[in-house]
Amino acid sequence: MKNRKYLATLALLGALALVAAACSNDDNGGTTGGGGGTSTTGGAVDCASDEFGCVEIAAGDPIQLASLLSITGSTAYLGTDSNNGISLAIDYLDGTFDATPGQLLGHDVELSQEDDGCSVEGGQAGATALAANPDIVAVIGTSCSSAALGVADTILGDKGILLISPSNTNPGLTSEEAHQPFYLRTAHNDKIQGAIVADFVFTELGIDSAATINDESPYADGLAAAFRDNFEALGGTITDKEQVTSTDTDLGPVFTNIAATDPGVVYGPNFDPVCSLSYTQGSDILAKGTVQIGSDGCLVTSFPETVGDPIKDYDYYASSPDLTVFQDGAFYKDEYSPAYEDQFGEPTAVFNAHAFDATNILFDAIEAVAVDDGSGNLTISRTALKDAIFATSGYEGVTGIITCTPLGDCATDVSIGVYEYNHWPVEGGVDPTAPIFSETKTLADVI
């Protein structure tokens, strides 16, 4: 049995201050699970002094986690893919991918799943249900920023329940104005993605005019705004900005408006099916040679299922985390990826490894703060757990080095790739699936 790997320790404050064992191994580049982590034994926890109390886990009972991800409807490709990453983290608690769940501190880990519906309503319903369960230690989610921003992040945070997202990217979630203390993410901040896409269009493609089209979600709205700000700062011109709803099926009128402004690029950082509809319907209206670009919400299996072959004279690209940055790592290539494909088939989206990392830093925080009474009964202070995971620094994750800021951004040094359709790095994509453009920026570069 292997111990989970660290590059740094998790520091805690107060009476429960513990230091996680720091170890590293150059044999593989990913984090690994281990049921042999330690907790304090025989100590007492003053749960009454914790504003949010403690989670009590009796000997023999499971540690209860939950996910709040999009698992139905047109965005199910996102949430199902992330749930698979969580399952692999639980599987690897014993140091092997054998499709048999390991244990954490001598306890099974039980995962319940709620559906965020990629919507405000779904986030509210799912978070409300989870917040009512005092045995839930933490939640991995949401898939979509709309389900988290001012919704699940607040509902769960008010109960002292951590919400750790593998795929939320809206800048507002980790802003000074809106950040909720129990929210963090292993996904990138779209201030980074917007800046890199702007660089690709203006510098790599040499195009100086662009229009944007986004749906009503905070994800699409925030990313379109980040692109516009950076594109104009580079010297580009925004010819038009349009908004649609995620349920629209006829985008003709909107693309007629865009075509009248004659942009060189149309940037539509939406969710599918708006993405695939934009490509098919927009290509019937836009001038020949007009480029369309989507984002990670478009880079899912449903896109090639809808579009089929690339449309002649109309290139389409999508930006997302540059998966090649960690795909060549020994752990990902030799262990994680084969296990994913063996258990679930090809990935249907690009955030499963981010979910794996999110679950592992949570496991480490639990190991650091859980107090065992000597008989296998665990007590976990909710505030101490929050402090532990936010203290994560220099952690060697599958997706890169993870260091969490006080505002919850744990991916602070991010490589974004731009993929040309139909070379998507998901099921339905055609080899080669490497990005044609990649750039790395830090939060400090764009904030």
Side-chain angles (χ1 to χ4, degrees):
M1 183 184 301
K2 302 177 183 177
N3 290 325
R4 194 174 301 107
K5 294 180 176 63
Y6 298 76
L7 290 184
T9 61
L10 298 176
L12 297 184
L13 302 175
L16 293 178
L18 297 168
V19 179
C23 59
S24 63
N25 188 321
D26 293 333
D27 291 343
N28 71 57
T31 58
T32 64
T38 59
S39 65
T40 51
T41 303
V45 183
D46 184 6
C47 295
S49 67
D50 188 324
E51 177 185 357
F52 301 101
C54 299
V55 182
E56 305 281 355
I57 303 163
D61 285 351
I63 295 172
Q64 295 189 39
L65 306 182
S67 66
L68 179 56
L69 299 162
S70 182
I71 53 177
T72 61
S74 61
T75 54
Y77 291 102
L78 284 169
T80 300
D81 184 69
S82 291
N83 270 322
N84 293 342
I86 299 169
S87 295
L88 287 176
I90 296 172
D91 176 0
Y92 206 69
L93 276 167
D94 59 3
T96 60
F97 288 119
D98 56 6
T100 301
Q103 287 192 325
L104 182 64
L105 300 174
H107 291 253
D108 291 339
V109 176
E110 183 176 278
L111 179 71
S112 58
Q113 298 182 9
E114 291 284 343
D115 187 4
D116 80 4
C118 201
S119 66
V120 171
E121 296 78 12
Q124 182 171 5
T128 300
L130 294 173
N133 183 350
D135 296 324
I136 295 294
V137 176
V139 178
I140 307 296
T142 59
S143 290
C144 303
S145 298
S146 55
L149 184 59
V151 188
D153 62 351
T154 302
I155 293 169
L156 293 170
D158 286 348
K159 294 290 187 178
I161 300 174
L162 283 168
L163 178 63
I164 314 159
S165 176
S167 59
N168 290 166
T169 56
N170 178 267
L173 282 158
T174 55
S175 67
E176 291 277 3
E177 300 77 18
H179 177 250
Q180 297 299 310
F182 281 79
Y183 175 87
L184 64 162
R185 60 184 171 199
T186 53
H188 58 270
N189 186 316
D190 269 337
K191 287 190 175 184
I192 294 176
Q193 184 167 204
I196 290 175
V197 175
D199 285 348
F200 170 70
V201 173
F202 192 83
T203 304
E204 184 73 9
L205 296 183
I207 296 174
D208 61 4
S209 63
T212 62
I213 174 174
N214 61 268
D215 65 30
E216 75 283 5
S217 69
Y219 160 74
D221 183 60
L223 186 45
F227 168 81
R228 289 193 299 266
D229 291 345
N230 283 277
F231 190 66
E232 289 180 322
L234 289 169
T237 299
I238 299 298
T239 66
D240 189 22
K241 52 183 180 180
E242 298 283 344
Q243 183 165 324
V244 297
T245 67
S246 53
T247 57
D248 283 347
T249 57
D250 180 8
L251 305 180
V254 170
F255 273 96
T256 298
N257 292 341
I258 291 173
T261 68
D262 195 28
V265 161
V266 178
Y267 184 46
N270 300 297
F271 293 104
D272 209 41
V274 172
C275 302
S276 51
L277 291 174
S278 293
Y279 186 34
T280 55
Q281 296 180 14
S283 297
D284 288 336
I285 298 170
L286 297 169
K288 182 180 292 188
T290 304
V291 173
Q292 289 196 61
I293 303 178
S295 56
D296 30 43
C298 308
L299 219 157
V300 293
T301 296
S302 57
F303 189 102
E305 288 178 347
T306 300
V307 171
D309 293 332
I311 300 170
K312 185 180 179 182
D313 298 324
Y314 292 91
D315 291 333
Y316 192 98
Y317 304 93
S319 60
S320 88
D322 181 356
L323 304 187
T324 63
V325 170
F326 53 86
Q327 282 177 335
D328 288 335
F331 178 73
Y332 184 94
K333 181 171 60 176
D334 299 334
E335 298 189 59
Y336 178 86
S337 182
Y340 188 105
E341 292 191 16
D342 181 59
Q343 295 185 33
F344 309 112
E346 290 186 60
T348 56
V350 295
F351 290 108
N352 59 82
H354 295 79
F356 181 82
D357 282 346
T359 310
N360 273 302
I361 63 172
L362 172 62
F363 287 162
D364 283 345
I366 291 171
E367 286 182 344
V369 305
V371 175
D372 190 320
D373 69 354
S375 299
N377 302 300
L378 299 181
T379 301
I380 301 173
S381 160
R382 290 200 180 277
T383 297
L385 183 63
K386 171 182 71 71
D387 291 343
I389 198 166
F390 271 84
T392 301
S393 179
Y395 184 93
E396 189 179 52
V398 172
T399 59
I401 302 301
I402 295 174
T403 295
C404 298
T405 71
L407 294 175
D409 273 313
C410 299
T412 55
D413 191 338
V414 178
S415 296
I416 297 292
V418 178
Y419 294 81
E420 183 178 19
Y421 184 68
N422 54 358
H423 299 284
W424 271 196
V426 298
E427 182 182 2
V430 175
D431 286 334
T433 57
I436 63 167
F437 176 83
S438 181
E439 190 173 13
T440 302
K441 290 183 182 291
T442 68
L443 283 173
D445 293 332
V446 297
I447 295 177

